[in-house]
């Protein structure tokens, strides 16, 4: 005990007031976790599951720079333990560590040196991948090095090893370091063994041999793929041919060819030809045909967007197992393809945790690979307002900064200026991804109410919300300022987002729903004025209808937009010209019936399949949540967009599929990708491919290949 005290005192004086020495993280108060910069853990056993010592180090210590585990008894660093801890500068492992789990230190890009103790037996897949500043790696034992365990280490200069026999390594352990001149310091006499050992040999390779094209591992699976005789030698490909209306697609084509092949601009005689043919299909403007022959490639599409999807298919055909290897030949084939549903979107939530647009650009590029055609931006919520609205500057001045998301004391700031957003929307459009903005009403609006209290009943002042969940403060339907406010917001929004759609939220407005309006005098008189006499609980829903009707009318008549909203059973009516989203567990059939009865369109993103913010396996991130169910890859894959409702529903009501990435627990761009993939690939196929072509067994094979490609790309 005395030793403990002395050591603590020493640390306090020598390092800084935020140096902490404790047995386990539980002994450290939330306040001290929030400011800790150096932590020494001495615990006999560090916990690895649930709200573990490691989860707290990762999520609850935003200033943490060093972790010292030397005095702890810690056999395992669990998977995702310190995932994307960008601020971490040093990690000292204990001599008792046997296992480092998958992605344990993924993208810990502040680490510059790392010592793996002699006791270590296993380094999991991607355990230190993307630690881009790591210069020196010291391996004292012979652990097995997993798939991509040290991939993408741009700064690595030296690996020092004590073992004369090379630690067993997967072929991809050091992917990205080929020919980078990493110095390998090994015991004398063992150089040759390392030069030829699996995984290690890559460090000595100079040139990448061109690999033959992989078997088609296309996601989403196309309507038909017909193999033909012969193949195209890509060295004979000399360029791209397209009319001016396909200039954007021609640019993409050139980029794909130069990234993925060794084609010979000018010298090669064969061409990649892009062309429009509006007679190809009348059901959708996304149908394309891709033909590879020994003398060239032809992509025909109903629209530029369709041609672009053809290019995305071509890009997948050109993938080789080793991302550094260029594709040299392409087997002849004919692909004919079109989507099953019209709108295939992913939703991201920068309101809870801000996502800079520079991080969202590569996200859009990745979505487009799988033929998603819309990105839905959840721009506002109780926790923040993220979109510049010039009429109401306080929204972003006061509403876009806060510290804290549940137990994570993170400083979360940021908003999108209109100018930046225009640039982003144009970027996405070049990838044929439509950006759909969402402004929530009447609930999930605390950030706006905080800035402009007159938006809620009685102009109550409310603080910005720091936790997840449902709030009871709502926009007041009887306050004229609310309509003026929304009118201005949607007017400015329409000037930034050319999308046909605008999402109005509409979900989870209070608990009990809409009760905020029950005791508001102004709402009382509005109810009287509207002749709402019911007292069965439906009176507030009628007020909500009044609010929605007014806003929907403005959006449709003044801005030509199609409003969207999250379906709540109490809505009953889906107004003309609107699209509803089925999202709640167990209520998809009810939402579909409402869409059918009202003759409206519906998007499917049922919680059972499409909530990509839920953990994909037990114990996976987020390890701590509010009881989110596990939504496995298979579960997502098994989404039937028609929900068993048959052809009539599919033809008249089904609009598409959506995957949501609510961000209460998604605290970094790396985590956003981690939650999205591979499940987004499963969703892409559910939304695009016809049932006759879909099979979980086949998808499982293809997704393995696609995930390898995904991991090898940089975001
Ligand atoms: C419910 S889904 C919400 C969101 C949360 C999400 C968390 C929906 C329309 N509302 O506000 O972020 O659950 O999974």
């Amino acid at each position: 005990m005395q030793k403990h005290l002395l050591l603590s005192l020493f640390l306090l004086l020598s390092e800084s007031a935020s140096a902490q020495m404790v047995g386990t993280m539980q002994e450290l108060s939330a306040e001290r976790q929030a400011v800790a910069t150096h932590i020494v853990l001495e615990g006999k056993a560090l916990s690895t599951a649930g709200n573990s010592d490691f989860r707290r180090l990762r999520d609850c210590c935003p200033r943490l720079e060093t972790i010292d585990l030397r005095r702890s008894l810690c056999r395992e660093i669990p998977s995702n333990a310190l995932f994307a801890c960008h601020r971490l500068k040093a990690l000292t492992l204990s001599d008792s560590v046997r296992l480092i789990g998958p992605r344990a230190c993924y993208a810990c890009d502040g680490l510059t040196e790392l010592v793996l103790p002699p006791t270590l037996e296993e380094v999991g897949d991607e355990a230190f991948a993307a630690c881009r500043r790591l210069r020196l790696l010291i391996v004292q034992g012979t652990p097995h090095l997993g798939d991509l365990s040290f991939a993408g280490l741009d700064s690595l200069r030296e690996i020092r090893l004590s073992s004369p026999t090379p630690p067993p390594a997967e072929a991809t352990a050091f992917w990205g370091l080929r020919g980078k001149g990493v110095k390998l310091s090994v015991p004398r006499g063992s150089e040759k063994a390392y030069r030829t050992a699996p995984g290690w040999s890559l460090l000595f390779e100079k040139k990448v041999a061109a690999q033959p094209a992989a078997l088609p591992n296309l996601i989403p699976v196309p309507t038909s793929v017909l193999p033909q005789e012969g193949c195209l030698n890509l060295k004979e490909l000399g360029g791209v041919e397209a009319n001016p209306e396909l200039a954007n697609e021609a640019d993409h084509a050139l980029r794909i060819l130069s990234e993925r092949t060794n084609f010979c601009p000018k010298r090669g005689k064969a061409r990649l030809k892009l062309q429009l043919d509006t007679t190809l299909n009348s059901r959708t403007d996304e149908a394309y045909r891709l033909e590879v022959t020994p003398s060239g490639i032809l992509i025909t599409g109903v629209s530029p967007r369709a041609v672009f999807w053809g290019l995305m298919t071509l890009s997948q055909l050109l993938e080789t197992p080793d991302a550094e290897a260029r594709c040299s030949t392409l087997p002849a084939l004919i692909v004919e393809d079109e989507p099953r549903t019209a709108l295939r979107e992913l939703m991201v939530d920068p309101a809870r945790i801000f996502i800079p647009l520079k991080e969202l650009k590569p996200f859009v590029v990745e979505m487009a690979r799988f033929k998603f055609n819309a990105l839905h931006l959840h721009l506002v919520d109780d926790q923040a307002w993220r979109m510049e609205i010039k009429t109401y500057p306080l929204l972003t001045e006061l509403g876009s900064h806060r510290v804290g998301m549940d137990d994570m004391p993170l400083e979360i700031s940021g908003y999108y200026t209109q100018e930046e957003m225009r640039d982003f929307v144009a970027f996405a459009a070049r990838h044929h991804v439509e950006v759909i903005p969402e402004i929530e009403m009447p609930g999930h609006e605390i950030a706006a109410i905080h800035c402009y209290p007159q938006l809620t009943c009685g102009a109550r002042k409310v603080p910005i919300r720091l936790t997840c969940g449902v709030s009871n403060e709502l926009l007041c339907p009887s306050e004229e300022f609310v309509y003026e406010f929304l009118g201005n917001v949607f007017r400015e929004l329409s000037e930034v987002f050319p999308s046909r759609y605008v999402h109005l939220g509409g979900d989870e407005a209070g608990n009990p729903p809409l009760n905020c309006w029950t005791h508001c005098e102004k709402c009382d008189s509005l109810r009287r004025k509207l002749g709402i006499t019911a007292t069965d609980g439906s009176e507030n829903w009628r007020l909500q209808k009044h609010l929605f009707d007014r806003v929907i009318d403005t959006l449709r008549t003044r801005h030509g937009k199609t409003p969207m909203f999250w379906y709540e059973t109490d809505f009953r009516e889906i107004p003309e010209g609107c699209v509803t989203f089925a999202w709640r567990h167990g209520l998809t059939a009810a939402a579909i019936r409402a869409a059918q009865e009202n003759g409206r369109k519906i998007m499917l993103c049922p919680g059972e399949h499409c909530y990509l913010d839920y953990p994909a396996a037990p114990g996976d991130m987020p390890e701590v949540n509010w009881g989110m169910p596990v939504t496995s890859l298979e579960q997502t894959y098994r989404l039937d967009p028609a929900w068993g409702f048959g052809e009539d529903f599919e033809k008249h009501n089904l609009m598409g599929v959506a995957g949501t990435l609510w961000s209460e627990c998604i605290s970094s761009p790396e985590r956003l990708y981690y939650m999205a993939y591979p499940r987004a690939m499963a969703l892409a196929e559910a939304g695009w491919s016809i049932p006759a072509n879909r099979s979980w067994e086949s998808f499982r094979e293809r997704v393995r290949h696609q995930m390898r490609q995904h991991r090898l790309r940089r975001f």
Side-chain angles (χ1 to χ4, degrees):
M1 187 62 199
Q2 219 174 6
K3 180 184 127 226
H4 192 129
L5 270 179
L6 273 175
L7 274 168
S8 304
L9 200 62
F10 168 75
L11 271 175
L12 284 176
L13 295 173
S14 67
E15 303 218 33
S16 78
S18 52
Q20 307 287 345
M21 180 180 292
V22 282
T24 66
M25 289 300 285
Q26 251 173 353
E27 294 164 28
L28 207 57
S29 68
E31 294 72 30
R32 289 169 79 196
Q33 291 184 22
V35 295
T37 50
H38 306 279
I39 292 186
V40 180
L41 285 179
E42 300 188 308
K44 284 276 169 284
L46 300 183
S47 57
T48 55
N51 194 10
S52 66
D53 286 296
F54 289 98
R55 189 263 155 184
R56 287 177 215 222
L57 285 168
R58 185 191 67 210
D59 289 349
C60 305
C61 304
R63 305 214 182 141
L64 196 55
E65 291 177 13
T66 71
I67 303 174
D68 186 343
L69 301 175
R70 258 173 303 181
R71 293 188 197 85
S72 72
L73 258 186
C74 163
R75 287 176 59 85
E76 178 192 349
I77 313 283
S79 55
N80 302 324
L82 300 166
F83 190 92
C85 275
H86 299 297
R87 70 248 171 230
L88 192 65
K89 296 200 176 110
L91 169 67
T92 317
L93 296 171
S94 125
D95 256 354
S96 54
V97 176
R98 299 273 184 282
L99 170 73
I100 298 182
R103 302 167 305 277
C105 295
Y106 180 85
C108 286
D109 46 17
L111 296 178
T112 52
E113 282 187 27
L114 180 70
V115 180
L116 299 181
T119 47
L120 191 64
E121 291 164 9
E122 175 71 32
V123 180
D125 296 350
E126 297 185 278
F128 294 93
C131 288
R132 298 201 197 288
R133 243 166 260 143
L134 198 72
R135 294 179 65 82
L136 174 65
L137 171 64
I138 300 177
V139 186
Q140 296 176 329
T142 51
H144 168 252
L145 308 184
D147 201 19
L148 302 168
S149 45
F150 294 93
L153 303 196
D154 297 337
S155 308
L156 196 67
R157 293 290 164 270
E158 185 181 358
I159 309 178
R160 270 182 225 155
L161 293 118
S162 321
S163 167
T165 40
E170 295 300 319
T172 56
F174 294 103
W175 185 85
L177 289 173
R178 182 187 272 128
K180 289 273 165 67
V182 175
K183 181 178 166 203
L184 217 55
S185 308
V186 298
R188 188 164 302 165
S190 57
E191 292 85 354
K192 190 159 170 244
Y194 275 91
R195 273 179 186 279
T196 52
W200 300 96
S201 63
L202 178 137
L203 297 168
F204 301 93
E205 285 171 10
K206 284 278 171 296
K207 246 184 94 196
V208 187
Q211 310 257 329
L215 287 171
N217 276 302
L218 302 173
I219 294 180
V221 62
T223 312
S224 83
V225 181
L226 287 174
Q228 306 287 301
E229 280 294 304
C231 64
L232 170 66
N233 180 348
L234 290 162
K235 273 210 183 107
E236 281 159 27
L237 202 58
V240 176
E241 222 177 273
N243 285 338
E245 66 266 31
L246 291 173
N248 170 51
E249 290 62 39
D251 284 349
H252 282 290
L254 268 178
R255 177 181 51 79
I256 291 166
L257 290 182
S258 47
E259 279 169 11
R260 306 256 18 108
T261 75
N262 46 12
F263 88 115
C264 291
K266 304 215 175 77
R267 262 183 296 147
K269 294 234 167 2
R271 290 286 174 271
L272 164 54
K273 218 174 142 197
L274 310 179
Q275 68 184 25
L276 291 177
D277 178 355
T278 45
T279 62
L280 205 59
N281 187 302
S282 56
R283 194 180 66 82
T284 155
D285 74 342
E286 294 186 283
Y288 71 89
R289 185 175 188 277
L290 162 66
E291 188 172 357
V292 179
T293 68
S295 54
I297 306 172
L298 172 64
I299 298 178
T300 315
V302 185
S303 64
R305 182 153 66 138
V307 170
F308 182 75
W309 299 143
L311 283 167
M312 293 301 100
T313 300
L314 175 65
S315 166
Q316 289 191 4
L317 289 171
L318 293 170
E319 280 162 359
T320 53
D322 181 335
E324 283 175 324
R326 303 297 174 101
C327 184
S328 52
T329 58
L330 207 50
L333 48 69
I334 298 173
V335 176
E336 281 180 357
D337 201 11
E338 65 183 39
R340 178 179 179 189
T341 70
L343 197 66
R344 304 166 305 277
E345 64 152 60
L346 290 180
M347 188 218 79
V348 295
D349 168 17
R352 271 55 177 268
I353 296 187
F354 186 62
I355 316 167
L357 292 176
K358 76 170 195 317
E359 311 288 357
L360 274 183
K361 281 187 177 177
F363 192 79
V364 163
V365 176
E366 195 65 9
M367 285 172 64
R369 287 181 195 282
F370 303 100
K371 304 187 175 81
F372 280 104
N373 59 8
L375 175 70
H376 170 168
L377 288 183
H378 186 74
L379 289 168
V380 308
D381 212 299
D382 293 330
Q383 295 81 358
W385 183 287
R386 302 291 183 199
M387 186 67 215
E388 178 189 34
I389 300 294
K390 296 196 192 257
T391 320
Y392 304 110
L394 289 187
L395 289 172
T396 43
E397 267 167 40
L398 297 179
S400 70
H401 317 279
R402 70 178 198 281
V403 174
M405 186 64 236
D406 295 316
D407 69 347
M408 299 189 282
L410 309 171
E411 196 179 311
I412 307 171
S413 306
Y415 66 90
Y416 307 124
T417 67
Q418 296 193 357
E419 200 184 332
E420 286 164 351
M421 188 53 86
R422 278 201 189 91
D423 165 73
F424 176 73
V425 167
F427 174 87
R430 289 198 290 278
H431 293 79
H432 295 281
V433 170
E434 174 170 355
V435 183
I436 303 175
E438 175 181 354
I439 301 290
E440 281 261 19
M441 52 182 257
H444 286 283
E445 265 289 27
I446 296 247
I449 295 171
H450 171 74
C451 305
Y452 296 94
Q454 62 269 48
L455 288 172
T456 195
C457 304
R460 284 190 307 273
K461 287 210 166 71
V462 283
I464 286 204
R465 192 177 168 108
L466 302 177
T467 55
C468 65
V470 173
S471 302
N472 287 326
E473 282 80 10
L474 311 179
L475 299 184
C476 176
S478 50
E479 169 58 61
E480 226 15 69
F481 175 65
V482 167
Y483 298 93
E484 182 188 321
F485 173 86
L486 292 172
N488 286 324
V489 167
F490 287 123
R491 177 179 47 75
E492 291 196 32
L493 224 57
S494 309
E495 288 160 11
V496 178
F497 295 92
S499 171
R500 299 160 284 176
Y501 308 105
V502 60
H503 202 291
L504 305 179
D507 61 305
E508 296 182 326
N511 187 16
L514 309 182
N515 207 32
C516 174
W517 302 338
T518 305
H519 305 291
C520 164
E521 273 173 30
K522 274 183 146 182
C523 287
D524 249 350
S525 49
L526 180 60
R527 274 188 289 264
R528 268 192 312 257
K529 195 172 138 205
L530 296 173
I532 301 175
T533 50
T535 50
D536 59 355
S538 70
E539 59 275 24
N540 286 337
W541 288 100
R542 289 168 208 249
L543 276 192
Q544 160 135 342
K545 178 172 155 39
H546 172 74
L547 170 72
F548 264 63
D549 282 350
R550 279 185 69 173
V551 175
I552 288 169
D553 183 57
T554 312
L555 282 167
R556 294 188 65 212
T557 54
R558 208 175 298 158
H559 305 298
K561 299 285 185 189
T562 297
M564 299 174 140
F565 56 84
W566 305 108
Y567 184 74
E568 293 282 19
T569 25
D570 288 310
F571 278 156
R572 307 238 165 91
E573 210 179 291
I574 303 167
E576 192 189 342
C578 291
V579 175
T580 199
F581 279 57
W583 61 282
R584 278 190 190 270
H585 271 250
L587 287 182
T588 305
I592 290 179
R593 265 183 228 113
Q596 283 184 316
E597 278 158 24
N598 290 270
R600 308 286 183 244
K601 295 275 184 199
I602 187 166
M603 289 286 291
L604 253 70
C605 66
E608 296 91 326
H609 304 269
C610 298
Y611 270 46
L612 310 185
D613 50 323
Y614 293 173
D620 203 354
M621 288 194 285
E623 301 88 346
V624 175
N625 60 56
W626 51 94
M628 295 167 163
V630 166
T631 305
S632 66
L633 176 62
E634 179 170 358
Q635 186 67 12
T636 301
Y637 188 77
R638 296 209 183 271
L639 169 69
D640 167 14
W643 211 255
F645 271 71
E647 250 171 62
D648 199 49
F649 162 67
E650 192 167 333
K651 202 161 152 214
H652 295 111
N653 308 97
L654 177 64
M655 180 160 206
V657 299
T660 53
L661 288 146
W662 301 102
S663 285
E664 289 93 337
C665 301
I666 302 183
S667 53
S668 65
E670 288 82 2
R671 276 176 79 161
L672 182 68
Y673 286 101
Y674 180 70
M675 299 313 289
Y677 291 95
R679 288 178 293 182
M681 297 179 193
L683 186 63
E685 183 151 310
W688 180 283
S689 306
I690 52 171
N693 286 346
R694 289 178 62 197
S695 126
W696 164 243
E697 285 67 33
S698 138
F699 177 77
R700 210 165 39 181
E701 290 304 312
R702 288 176 287 125
V703 83
R704 197 171 312 160
H705 163 89
Q706 285 299 336
M707 273 310 279
R708 154 120 329 166
Q709 300 295 319
H710 169 82
R711 291 196 172 106
L712 299 181
R713 286 191 279 271
R714 297 183 168 211
F715 302 109

